[in-house]
Amino acid sequence: MAAQALTTTLDRLRKTGIVNLIGLALLALVGIWLVVNFAKDPTEFINVALIGLTNGTIYGLVALGYTLIYGILQLINFAHGDVFALSGLVAWSLIVSVLGLDKDSSVPVIIGGMLLTLVVIMVLFSIVNAGIEFVAYRRLRRAPRLAALITAVGMSFIIQNVSLAFYGVNFHSVPSFIPRTEAIGIGDVTYSWNKLSALLITIPVLILLSWFVRSTKQGKAMRAVSQDTEASAMMGINVNRTISVAFALAGALAGAAGIVYLLQFNMRYDTGFELGLIAFTAAVLGGIGNLTGAVLGALIIGFIQAFNEGLLWFTPGSDWTRTIVFGILILILVFRPEGILGEQTPEGA
């Protein structure tokens, strides 16, 4: 009853425009804070923003996986973050134990090894994710949404424990074979090779995904199924195959994100829990179900995190990053539940 009363009150406030005014006031305060920080030290501001760009692209790869599945099944696949973590750990095994790449390896060997790792991990985890859909979710499509949601949480714990069983509780990292020296430098603004490598992997993957969804026959089938499953089936679209392809794409994105994350940070079995929640917040912020919105939301979250941890004037610091990110999620649900690029629906209006 209390939740219903709160919802009713918020709806009334939205109609009067008060909620919009509060939201604009909050955005204005953030804008002033950014302008002052930029004026105090423009070079540091830009360097921190570049870090946010790198982190945001990683979040974007994971957020796209959430939004792909939600767009078709209206399912929040909480296991997605753990698939991302497991993919990074398997990539670590391939890089370190199988290929033996290290900082003494030649440039052609490093490039070839990373391309091979990227292809193997993306293919492997597209199969894994499609298998998860077949085993855990397919029989629950006509069940109440709560059943699928609980199953997703259960799959998250299963995958996390698989990672724990094989890789233990220790963090894993790859050798610094990609130099952290300057790749691009303009004055005191620098961008290192290891961060540039993240963009060189992420941007082509995002372009290929966009092309696949918008231009291919299977991509058009995915968009049709997301609009109306029953009508799509009547028009001859294989719904089961289309949903499996969406899960496979999401798994491939998680695999690519796992490699990119591994090149920047350490990873262990529970890394996917926090990063998955951040990516889910990014998907909601941009408008869950909207591919462009997921990337936009991820970039915004990446910038916010970097600015909070890297700027000096009136910043709460890294201890508050989680609070700020999930505070943003709550604010979005209050002020604009459909997200930045989302559209209001009869259910959410």
Side-chain angles (χ1 to χ4, degrees):
M1 293 298 291
Q4 185 177 0
L6 178 60
T7 302
T8 303
T9 303
L10 287 173
D11 287 339
R12 290 174 180 173
L13 290 174
R14 287 193 188 98
K15 291 178 181 179
T16 60
I18 294 176
V19 169
N20 290 335
L21 288 175
I22 296 173
L24 290 173
L26 291 173
L27 287 176
L29 288 174
V30 173
I32 293 170
W33 173 69
L34 291 174
V35 168
V36 172
N37 273 288
F38 178 80
K40 284 181 173 293
D41 194 340
T43 299
E44 184 65 20
F45 185 92
I46 296 174
N47 282 325
V48 171
L50 290 174
I51 295 173
L53 174 65
T54 304
N55 293 342
T57 55
I58 299 173
Y59 299 155
L61 285 174
V62 185
L64 281 169
Y66 279 107
T67 209
L68 270 174
I69 303 308
Y70 186 86
I72 289 182
L73 290 180
Q74 281 72 55
L75 168 69
I76 301 170
N77 182 22
F78 284 115
H80 187 68
D82 299 285
V83 171
F84 150 80
L86 181 57
S87 72
L89 292 170
V90 174
W92 172 82
S93 295
L94 185 59
I95 291 170
V96 174
S97 302
V98 178
L99 299 177
L101 297 180
D102 56 37
K103 59 183 179 181
D104 296 324
S105 301
S106 64
V107 172
V109 170
I110 290 173
I111 293 175
M114 290 310 302
L115 287 175
L116 176 61
T117 301
L118 182 65
V119 171
V120 169
I121 294 299
M122 289 182 70
V123 171
L124 175 61
F125 280 89
S126 66
I127 296 171
V128 168
N129 218 39
I132 290 172
E133 184 274 329
F134 180 79
V135 171
Y137 301 139
R138 182 167 295 189
R139 298 179 186 278
L140 297 176
R141 282 191 203 148
R142 298 188 182 277
R145 290 188 182 181
L146 183 60
L149 186 65
I150 293 172
T151 302
V153 174
M155 284 304 305
S156 172
F157 284 116
I158 290 171
I159 297 169
Q160 191 175 117
N161 279 280
V162 168
S163 300
L164 177 62
F166 280 97
Y167 292 97
V169 298
N170 295 324
F171 283 95
H172 296 79
S173 62
V174 295
S176 299
F177 51 78
I178 298 179
R180 299 179 183 269
T181 54
E182 179 182 304
I184 300 172
I186 303 175
D188 292 329
V189 176
T190 61
Y191 200 58
S192 60
W193 279 107
N194 68 310
K195 291 183 173 61
L196 181 61
S197 66
L199 295 184
L200 293 177
I201 293 173
T202 301
I203 292 174
V205 170
L206 294 179
I207 292 173
L208 282 172
L209 174 67
S210 179
W211 168 81
F212 181 88
V213 173
R214 297 180 185 278
S215 302
T216 66
K217 183 178 179 180
Q218 190 63 59
K220 292 175 182 177
M222 287 170 56
R223 286 188 285 155
V225 171
S226 70
Q227 291 290 324
D228 193 320
T229 302
E230 293 182 0
S232 299
M234 292 173 62
M235 296 300 294
I237 293 175
N238 188 325
V239 174
N240 284 335
R241 184 178 65 190
T242 301
I243 292 173
S244 293
V245 168
F247 270 86
L249 279 176
L253 289 168
I259 293 172
V260 175
Y261 189 91
L262 186 67
L263 294 176
Q264 308 293 322
F265 311 105
N266 300 326
M267 180 173 279
R268 71 173 191 171
Y269 74 99
D270 60 351
T271 301
F273 176 75
E274 181 177 351
L275 193 137
L277 288 175
I278 291 174
F280 172 67
T281 301
V284 174
L285 174 60
I288 193 162
N290 185 304
L291 298 180
T292 305
V295 176
L296 176 62
L299 289 173
I300 291 173
I301 293 292
F303 285 129
I304 289 172
Q305 181 181 12
F307 288 146
N308 173 59
E309 297 177 1
L311 298 180
L312 299 176
W313 186 74
F314 277 97
T315 52
S318 59
D319 291 340
W320 286 85
T321 297
R322 294 181 185 179
T323 303
I324 291 171
V325 169
F326 297 123
I328 290 170
L329 175 60
I330 293 170
L331 290 173
I332 286 295
L333 293 175
V334 171
F335 291 106
R336 189 173 172 83
E338 66 272 21
I340 296 172
L341 298 184
E343 298 178 358
Q344 281 197 343
T345 63
E347 291 85 357

